[in-house]
């Protein structure tokens, strides 16, 4: 069985000077497994969130990585 990752891109204007780009990677069940957020044109202003799910589809962990470090819940 081959599974694929689906990418979903979204650009939003925070205000007239700032655009936020959100890239979601979805698993074959449609759950977000990775979200990348880039705020503005500064490529150093980013955050990556990775999600893990149990066999029932319930989120069991979330890791947020940014320049400041990695935070887990």
């Amino acid at each position: 069985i081959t599974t694929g990752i689906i990418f979903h891109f979204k650009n939003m204007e925070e205000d007239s000077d700032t655009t936020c780009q959100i890239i979601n990677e979805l698993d074959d069940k449609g759950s977000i497994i990775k979200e990348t957020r880039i705020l503005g044109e500064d490529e150093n202003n980013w955050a990556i969130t990775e999600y893990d799910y149990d066999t029932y589809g319930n989120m069991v962990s979330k890791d947020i990585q940014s320049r400041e470090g990695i935070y887990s819940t």
Side-chain angles (χ1 to χ4, degrees):
I1 297 174
T2 303
T3 59
I5 296 176
I6 302 169
F7 292 92
H8 178 260
F9 297 89
K10 184 174 187 178
N11 289 316
M12 300 183 308
E13 287 190 21
E14 295 286 318
D15 56 43
S16 61
D17 297 322
T18 308
T19 300
C20 178
Q21 182 180 43
I22 301 171
I23 304 166
N24 289 322
E25 294 180 31
L26 310 176
D27 64 13
D28 56 342
K29 295 178 183 175
S31 299
I32 297 173
I33 55 173
K34 184 176 180 182
E35 177 181 270
T36 303
R37 289 179 175 254
I38 304 168
L39 182 61
E41 295 183 16
D42 182 0
E43 60 188 44
N44 292 316
N45 195 1
W46 54 268
I48 297 173
T49 306
E50 294 185 357
Y51 302 92
D52 284 319
Y53 301 90
D54 63 16
T55 55
Y56 299 104
N58 300 307
M59 184 176 53
V60 295
S61 70
K62 176 171 91 171
D63 296 327
I64 303 171
Q65 178 183 0
S66 68
R67 288 181 0 153
E68 290 82 29
I70 298 174
Y71 307 93
S72 298
T73 58

